[in-house]
Amino acid sequence: MRIAVIGAGNSGLATAAYFKKYGYFVTLWNRTEKNIANLKQSRRIKVLGIWDTTFIVDIVTSDIKEAIQGVDLILVTTPSDSHKDIARLIAPYVKEESIIILNPGRTFGAIEVKQILLQEANVCPIIGETQTILYTCRKIQEDVVSLLAIKRNVQIAFLSKDGHSIFKHLPKCYSCNLILVDSILITSLGNVGMILHCAPVLFNIGWIENKGVAFKYYYAGITPSIANFLECMDKERIMVANKLGVDVLLVQDWLKKSYKTWGNTLYECLQNNDAYKTIDAPSTLKHRYIMEDVCTGLVPVEYIAHQLGIVVPHISLVIDIAEKVVDFPFREKGRKMDILDLK
Amino acid sequence: MRIAVIGAGNSGLATAAYFKKYGYFVTLWNRTEKNIANLKQSRRIKVLGIWDTTFIVDIVTSDIKEAIQGVDLILVTTPSDSHKDIARLIAPYVKEESIIILNPGRTFGAIEVKQILLQEANVCPIIGETQTILYTCRKIQEDVVSLLAIKRNVQIAFLSKDGHSIFKHLPKCYSCNLILVDSILITSLGNVGMILHCAPVLFNIGWIENKGVAFKYYYAGITPSIANFLECMDKERIMVANKLGVDVLLVQDWLKKSYKTWGNTLYECLQNNDAYKTIDAPSTLKHRYIMEDVCTGLVPVEYIAHQLGIVVPHISLVIDIAEKVVDFPFREKGRKMDILDLK
């Protein structure tokens, strides 16, 4: 099985190295050629952290045709606000039997990609998405990645009635860390980034914009009042999921499951989560915590909620603030799925 | 002329001392008796700063009747969200010829007090309001106030066609620091606190709630993005004033006039204002910057705007955030004047 990894960021480098470890033929694509200039020459990715080894990928390219042609599995590891562009780029080379997986899809990513592939090339491959990123990792240099952990039981879902046979067909080294769920509604509405990432940035603008006054994002930036607000947003997300007939975990329960933290409130669960204690806050508002998570998290949830006749006042308020403070038309640019698309 | 000073906070202590300096008979009232326990015994107010003297007021009391009866001029120095309660308390003792001045009125304070006095006691005294506080001062102890400056040319307006003769009748030591304007619409819509106080607190929740991480309110807490947002709010305030036929200054122009600061943007004017550089941020969201300024600044402006058919999206957004984050019904509890009341 030949695998294309789309994106050479944190997660892309870790993914490419991971599949080379298990002996697969791996192509690695990145849009911006200058960001892979050295890698293109050497094809060597150094992995620190849980391993300390170097892997040589087979092709490193910014030519999407070269990256995609002849591969069976396309793993998209870019931020979700670029899924649209990626879909347009790959459309001419995708086949019906290709498997495309968004790692992760954020909210309704698989549906967005399906729609674009149909429009652009009238092709309908197998499309899946994960609920979150698979690796806890940070890109250190262009060709060096620190891989701190491989997550377990990460949810995956396919836009197909035959998810089970697709899942069985995946490389074992990949599927062993995943857990198949019935519907991309579960992975999409299980997107916790939209809750944890957007509002805390907006309630910390002053602190974030004061250069040289760094602070820990989860530990200091999410105070009791902010966590309380996030719990209200989270209940709105759960309400939308339930109205669509799916069960998803509250963020605090997701944290308990994913990180073995504990507490009676979201605030307590965050304060007790050692894994989050060192994570720094962004130093700008134009960060993926806003630019990505509002577009591909809050906007699609609000849009679907309104079609379902549900108001989501806390979520709507955060989109309103983001639009005014960042001066970007998030609602216009974000994912807006028709309720029929979900069926 | 006998004068009652209502409220023994920062401004009340300074006001009482100021009139004693000029030899007036002064009564000082405070609602909470335990906050004036010593003062009631000694009647001595020590003033630091521009003077270093002690003044003895004539009566210190928490009995409103004792404070008000027989006085000619009632100066209300309490936060504006208590104007309603003060009006109810003084109603039985006010006469048609009494002069009541709110220092300051915030937005539509004089109208609110007039309506309550009419309802409660069918009395219609002379009511005025100032555009801002007259003294730059801080209460240091129950009976000690640091008086750093007496402002000049503070706007005052009366709910009367005969403002000029009322103004002439005021003690010279008071009116010499004031400038008479035609309408309380000018003082009310010239309220800059609603712009400078509310949004910066809400965009700094994390910083404010991290105890021990103090920061300077105007200098660090109002960053370029936040100042830009405040400029948008400010234009909405000016638009409402213009629609009502009155001219008021933009906050940045008001700052230039009041503090001799300079700059092309609100951000620059704040950064260049030495008088603001030492002012600390609040340490809680339940501060008068929210509790008072949303209720008696943003809510009345939004309410009037909607009656005028104007949308004020930035102002409305700040009220929305305050309602959700502080969990207080600001729109329900705030000042809501009918457009007819203004005429």
Side-chain angles (χ1 to χ4, degrees):
Chain A
M1 189 178 246
R2 289 179 163 230
I3 296 166
V5 176
I6 304 300
N10 298 317
S11 174
L13 288 184
T15 303
Y18 185 81
F19 280 95
K20 282 315 297 180
K21 181 178 166 73
Y22 289 95
Y24 287 88
F25 184 96
V26 172
T27 70
L28 176 62
W29 175 87
N30 198 69
R31 179 200 300 255
T32 309
E33 187 158 4
K34 77 172 169 49
N35 294 349
I36 50 167
N38 296 327
L39 207 54
K40 230 176 131 177
Q41 295 303 317
S42 72
R43 296 183 284 119
R44 300 167 77 91
I45 298 174
K46 186 165 177 60
V47 180
L48 307 175
I50 58 175
W51 312 317
D52 192 3
T53 325
T54 296
F55 299 98
I56 302 179
V57 291
D58 299 283
I59 295 173
V60 177
T61 180
S62 59
D63 176 342
I64 196 76
K65 183 178 174 185
E66 191 183 6
I68 297 293
Q69 236 170 14
V71 308
D72 313 285
L73 177 60
I74 300 167
L75 300 175
V76 180
T77 67
T78 57
S80 54
D81 50 352
S82 67
H83 286 165
K84 262 187 196 168
D85 296 337
I86 300 290
R88 286 197 191 98
L89 280 171
I90 65 175
Y93 314 108
V94 164
K95 296 188 167 54
E96 292 284 326
E97 63 274 21
S98 299
I99 302 176
I100 302 168
I101 301 175
L102 310 176
N103 300 268
R106 289 299 176 197
T107 302
F108 308 141
I111 298 171
E112 185 177 72
V113 168
K114 178 184 169 181
Q115 289 178 344
I116 290 170
L117 293 179
L118 277 171
Q119 280 163 26
E120 299 280 318
N122 198 30
V123 65
C124 190
I126 296 156
I127 304 174
E129 63 174 40
T130 63
Q131 182 256 335
T132 186
I133 285 163
L134 268 75
Y135 309 103
T136 306
C137 54
R138 279 285 175 275
K139 182 174 172 176
I140 291 173
Q141 287 173 36
E142 183 186 316
D143 51 359
V144 182
V145 62
S146 163
L147 177 56
L148 298 170
I150 299 164
K151 298 185 192 168
R152 297 270 162 176
N153 295 321
V154 171
Q155 292 179 337
I156 189 168
F158 293 94
L159 281 180
S160 163
K161 291 208 170 99
D162 199 16
H164 281 280
S165 66
I166 303 165
F167 188 71
K168 276 187 204 159
H169 188 64
L170 294 178
K172 284 286 161 299
C173 67
Y174 182 58
S175 61
C176 69
N177 302 313
L178 301 170
I179 187 162
L180 181 69
V181 295
D182 286 341
S183 161
I184 69 103
L185 293 182
I186 299 171
T187 47
S188 282
L189 293 161
N191 166 12
V192 297
M194 71 173 108
I195 306 297
L196 290 171
H197 293 166
C198 307
V201 170
L202 299 171
F203 291 142
N204 280 293
I205 297 175
W207 215 352
I208 284 172
E209 289 193 334
N210 271 270
K211 305 302 170 208
V213 197
F215 64 99
K216 298 302 171 194
Y217 182 74
Y218 291 99
Y219 191 62
I222 302 182
T223 58
S225 293
I226 296 173
N228 188 53
F229 185 94
L230 302 186
E231 285 188 7
C232 295
M233 289 177 75
D234 206 28
K235 282 176 197 149
E236 294 170 0
R237 176 181 65 95
I238 302 286
M239 195 168 56
V240 172
N242 291 348
K243 188 87 176 186
L244 286 168
V246 298
D247 273 328
V248 294
L249 292 175
L250 278 171
V251 172
Q252 60 193 84
D253 294 329
W254 179 85
L255 286 170
K256 286 175 188 167
K257 190 175 151 236
S258 305
Y259 291 100
K260 296 188 174 130
T261 182
W262 74 98
N264 292 317
T265 63
L266 177 55
Y267 179 72
E268 288 174 9
C269 288
L270 290 168
Q271 291 289 310
N272 292 331
N273 184 7
D274 285 335
Y276 277 178
K277 282 194 176 164
T278 59
I279 296 179
D280 284 318
S283 58
T284 166
L285 302 185
K286 295 208 172 178
H287 183 270
R288 66 184 170 84
Y289 281 6
I290 298 289
M291 304 314 290
E292 178 184 359
D293 287 295
V294 176
C295 277
T296 65
L298 299 182
V299 167
V301 167
E302 181 195 56
Y303 195 79
I304 287 291
H306 289 174
Q307 289 179 74
L308 294 167
I310 298 173
V311 289
V312 285
H314 290 78
I315 287 174
S316 294
L317 184 59
V318 174
I319 303 172
D320 288 337
I321 304 171
E323 289 216 337
K324 292 207 165 34
V325 170
V326 184
D327 194 21
F328 184 85
F330 287 103
R331 283 194 179 85
E332 186 195 322
K333 301 286 185 188
R335 270 179 195 154
K336 296 189 293 292
M337 296 298 149
D338 197 298
I339 190 81
L340 294 171
D341 301 329
L342 309 187
K343 293 183 173 163
Chain B
M1 188 178 247
R2 290 179 163 231
I3 296 166
V5 176
I6 304 301
N10 298 317
S11 174
L13 288 185
T15 302
Y18 185 80
F19 280 95
K20 281 316 297 179
K21 180 177 165 73
Y22 288 94
Y24 287 89
F25 185 94
V26 172
T27 69
L28 176 62
W29 176 89
N30 198 69
R31 178 200 303 255
T32 310
E33 186 158 4
K34 77 171 168 51
N35 295 348
I36 49 168
N38 295 328
L39 206 55
K40 232 176 130 176
Q41 296 303 316
S42 73
R43 297 185 284 118
R44 299 168 77 91
I45 299 174
K46 186 166 176 57
V47 180
L48 307 175
I50 57 175
W51 312 318
D52 193 4
T53 325
T54 296
F55 299 97
I56 302 178
V57 291
D58 300 282
I59 295 173
V60 177
T61 179
S62 60
D63 176 343
I64 197 75
K65 184 178 174 186
E66 191 183 6
I68 297 292
Q69 237 170 13
V71 308
D72 313 285
L73 176 60
I74 301 167
L75 299 175
V76 180
T77 68
T78 57
S80 54
D81 50 352
S82 67
H83 286 166
K84 263 187 198 169
D85 295 339
I86 300 291
R88 286 198 191 95
L89 279 171
I90 65 175
Y93 314 108
V94 164
K95 297 192 168 52
E96 291 283 326
E97 63 273 22
S98 300
I99 302 175
I100 302 168
I101 301 175
L102 310 175
N103 299 269
R106 289 300 179 197
T107 303
F108 307 142
I111 298 171
E112 186 178 72
V113 169
K114 178 184 170 181
Q115 288 178 345
I116 290 169
L117 293 178
L118 276 171
Q119 279 164 27
E120 299 281 318
N122 197 29
V123 64
C124 190
I126 297 156
I127 304 176
E129 62 175 40
T130 64
Q131 181 257 335
T132 186
I133 285 164
L134 266 75
Y135 308 103
T136 306
C137 55
R138 277 286 174 277
K139 182 174 171 175
I140 290 173
Q141 287 174 37
E142 185 186 313
D143 51 0
V144 183
V145 63
S146 162
L147 177 57
L148 298 170
I150 299 165
K151 297 185 193 168
R152 296 270 162 175
N153 294 320
V154 171
Q155 292 179 336
I156 189 167
F158 293 93
L159 282 180
S160 163
K161 291 207 170 101
D162 199 16
H164 281 279
S165 66
I166 303 166
F167 188 70
K168 276 187 204 160
H169 188 64
L170 294 178
K172 284 285 162 298
C173 66
Y174 183 57
S175 61
C176 69
N177 302 313
L178 300 171
I179 187 161
L180 180 69
V181 294
D182 286 342
S183 160
I184 69 106
L185 293 180
I186 299 171
T187 47
S188 282
L189 292 161
N191 166 10
V192 298
M194 70 173 111
I195 306 297
L196 290 171
H197 292 165
C198 307
V201 170
L202 299 170
F203 291 142
N204 280 294
I205 297 174
W207 215 352
I208 286 171
E209 288 193 334
N210 271 270
K211 305 302 172 207
V213 197
F215 64 99
K216 298 302 170 195
Y217 181 74
Y218 291 99
Y219 191 63
I222 303 183
T223 59
S225 294
I226 296 172
N228 189 53
F229 185 94
L230 301 187
E231 285 188 7
C232 296
M233 290 177 76
D234 207 27
K235 283 176 195 148
E236 295 170 0
R237 176 181 65 95
I238 302 286
M239 196 168 55
V240 172
N242 291 347
K243 188 89 175 183
L244 287 169
V246 297
D247 273 328
V248 294
L249 291 175
L250 278 170
V251 171
Q252 60 193 83
D253 294 328
W254 179 86
L255 285 171
K256 286 175 188 167
K257 190 177 150 236
S258 305
Y259 291 101
K260 297 188 175 133
T261 181
W262 74 98
N264 292 316
T265 62
L266 177 56
Y267 179 72
E268 288 174 9
C269 290
L270 290 168
Q271 292 289 309
N272 292 330
N273 185 6
D274 285 335
Y276 278 178
K277 281 194 176 164
T278 58
I279 297 178
D280 284 319
S283 59
T284 167
L285 302 185
K286 296 208 171 176
H287 183 271
R288 67 185 170 85
Y289 280 7
I290 297 290
M291 304 314 289
E292 177 185 0
D293 288 295
V294 176
C295 278
T296 65
L298 299 182
V299 167
V301 167
E302 183 196 54
Y303 195 79
I304 287 291
H306 289 174
Q307 289 178 76
L308 294 168
I310 298 174
V311 290
V312 286
H314 290 79
I315 287 174
S316 294
L317 184 59
V318 173
I319 303 171
D320 288 338
I321 304 170
E323 289 216 338
K324 291 207 164 38
V325 170
V326 183
D327 194 22
F328 184 85
F330 287 102
R331 281 193 181 85
E332 186 195 322
K333 301 287 185 188
R335 269 181 196 152
K336 295 191 293 292
M337 295 300 148
D338 197 298
I339 189 80
L340 294 173
D341 300 329
L342 309 187
K343 291 183 174 162

